[in-house]
């Protein structure tokens, strides 16, 4: 993911935060997003799905490991249940939301700091959380993108779709009669279909156009009043006003 894409994602994040909480930079703290990131990582690791009375998960327990003595080095990504993988992607995207939010407020990551790719997945998981807690969201974001790459997951595209969903939830009284199940699927799951053919190159070559395409597809499924359908310009205008 190139720097321009990260800058545009930051604009979207700043915009949605401001839409939800006016003057959010004065009302929210880094600690808010540190704690949120910590919780999302816990949910990622605890991902479970039961099918035909069989429980599927990431298969981590502190007492499991090679020779029964230590934590396994890596997740068996190839053999995870697809529902477990999809949920990991959802949690990973939520981590991007909170990490970008924290990065906007403050980032102690050095510009010349070397990025280390860990072969041990559990160290990567903990490194994301640790870097956020150390006020280094820039480094945490690199770890998140590394994990997304391992999953062959276009996290930027899913972020765009989830960004639209978060907006939609706000205008639909989320938590007060909001129906999370649509067309027999949870709203988060529907997003995978919306971005299925979107590539990283699409985003890097035309971020605004790709966001608007995803928005067009999104509002065909998530029906909103015409005046509430938005494009990338909507978020640019919000950030300019701040």
């Amino acid at each position: 993911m190139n720097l321009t894409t990260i800058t545009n994602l930051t604009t979207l994040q700043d915009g949605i935060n401001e839409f939800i909480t006016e003057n959010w930079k004065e009302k929210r703290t880094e600690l808010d997003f540190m704690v949120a990131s910590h919780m999302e990582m816990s949910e990622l690791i605890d991902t479970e799905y039961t099918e035909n009375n069989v429980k599927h998960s990431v298969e981590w327990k502190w007492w499991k490991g090679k020779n029964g003595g230590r934590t396994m080095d890596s997740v068996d990504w190839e053999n995870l249940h697809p529902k477990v993988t999809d949920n990991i992607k959802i949690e990973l995207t939520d981590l991007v939301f909170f990490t970008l939010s924290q990065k906007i407020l403050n980032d102690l990551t050095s510009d010349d700091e070397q990025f280390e790719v860990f072969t041990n997945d559990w160290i990567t998981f903990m490194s994301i959380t640790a870097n956020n807690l150390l006020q280094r969201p820039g480094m945490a974001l690199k770890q998140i993108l590394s994990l997304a790459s391992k999953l062959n997951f276009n996290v930027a595209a899913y972020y765009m779709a989830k960004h639209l969903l978060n907006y939609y939830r706000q205008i639909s009284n989320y938590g007060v009669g909001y129906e999370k199940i649509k067309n027999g699927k949870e709203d988060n799951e529907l997003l995978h279909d919306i971005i299925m053919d979107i590539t990283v190159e699409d985003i890097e070559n035309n971020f605004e156009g790709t966001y608007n395409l995803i928005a067009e597809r999104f509002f065909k499924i998530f029906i909103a009043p015409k005046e509430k359908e938005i494009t990338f310009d909507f978020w640019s205008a919000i950030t300019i006003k701040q």
Side-chain angles (χ1 to χ4, degrees):
M1 187 183 299
N2 61 25
L3 183 58
T4 300
T5 299
I6 292 175
T7 299
N8 283 321
L9 291 177
T10 303
T11 296
L12 292 177
Q13 189 60 51
D14 193 1
I16 192 69
N17 287 0
E18 186 69 18
F19 183 79
I20 295 171
T21 307
E22 188 176 359
N23 298 321
W24 74 275
K25 295 184 184 74
E26 284 71 51
K27 296 175 182 176
R28 300 296 185 196
T29 68
E30 289 177 74
L31 184 59
D32 291 328
F33 301 114
M34 290 176 189
V35 174
S37 295
H38 192 84
M39 293 174 67
E40 291 300 333
M41 181 55 68
S42 297
E43 291 178 16
L44 186 157
I45 293 173
D46 283 341
T47 292
E48 290 184 349
Y49 177 76
T50 300
E51 184 177 62
N52 299 324
N53 295 318
V54 177
K55 184 183 290 185
H56 302 272
S57 69
V58 182
E59 289 294 326
W60 181 87
K61 297 293 181 185
W62 66 266
W63 62 83
K64 286 187 177 183
K66 294 177 181 177
N67 304 318
R70 65 184 179 86
T71 302
M72 63 197 76
D73 289 336
S74 62
V75 175
D76 189 4
W77 297 110
E78 298 299 322
N79 293 309
L80 289 180
H81 191 284
K83 291 285 187 180
V84 172
T85 302
D86 281 349
N87 196 66
I88 288 172
K89 292 175 180 178
I90 291 169
E91 304 299 349
L92 201 60
T93 305
D94 286 342
L95 273 167
V96 175
F97 273 83
F98 298 129
T99 300
L100 281 175
S101 297
Q102 186 184 340
K103 194 174 187 302
I104 292 168
L105 293 178
N106 186 36
D107 188 5
L108 299 182
T109 306
S110 300
D111 292 338
D112 59 351
E113 192 166 356
Q114 295 298 312
F115 168 58
E116 182 176 359
V117 179
F118 298 109
T119 56
N120 186 310
D121 292 318
W122 308 101
I123 292 178
T124 298
F125 293 158
M126 292 303 98
S127 179
I128 292 168
T129 304
N131 277 304
N132 275 328
L133 291 174
L134 292 170
Q135 298 176 289
R136 290 152 38 94
M139 183 56 68
L141 183 61
K142 291 178 181 179
Q143 295 284 7
I144 292 168
L145 297 179
S146 172
L147 185 53
S149 178
K150 179 177 284 192
L151 285 166
N152 195 28
F153 172 43
N154 189 347
V155 66
Y158 191 88
Y159 174 96
M160 291 178 179
K162 184 63 183 287
H163 186 272
L164 286 157
L165 178 59
N166 285 348
Y167 163 78
Y168 178 79
R169 287 173 172 178
Q170 288 296 313
I171 65 173
S172 303
N173 297 316
Y174 187 58
V176 184
Y178 176 83
E179 294 184 5
K180 206 169 184 180
I181 305 299
K182 297 184 183 297
N183 301 333
K185 286 186 177 182
E186 186 176 322
D187 55 6
N188 275 310
E189 293 181 50
L190 289 167
L191 304 183
H192 292 292
D193 298 332
I194 291 173
I195 66 162
M196 188 176 297
D197 62 339
I198 302 294
T199 68
V200 173
E201 289 73 22
D202 291 333
I203 294 169
E204 293 188 342
N205 293 333
N206 186 4
F207 188 98
E208 183 175 341
T210 303
Y211 182 89
N212 292 344
L213 173 61
I214 292 172
E216 181 182 339
R217 294 175 178 179
F218 179 91
F219 288 114
K220 284 182 179 178
I221 297 174
F222 297 85
I223 306 301
K226 199 66 179 177
E227 68 273 12
K228 295 291 186 179
E229 294 184 9
I230 50 88
T231 63
F232 184 80
D233 285 343
F234 177 83
W235 304 109
S236 295
I238 288 177
T239 55
I240 288 171
K241 287 179 181 177
Q242 292 183 62

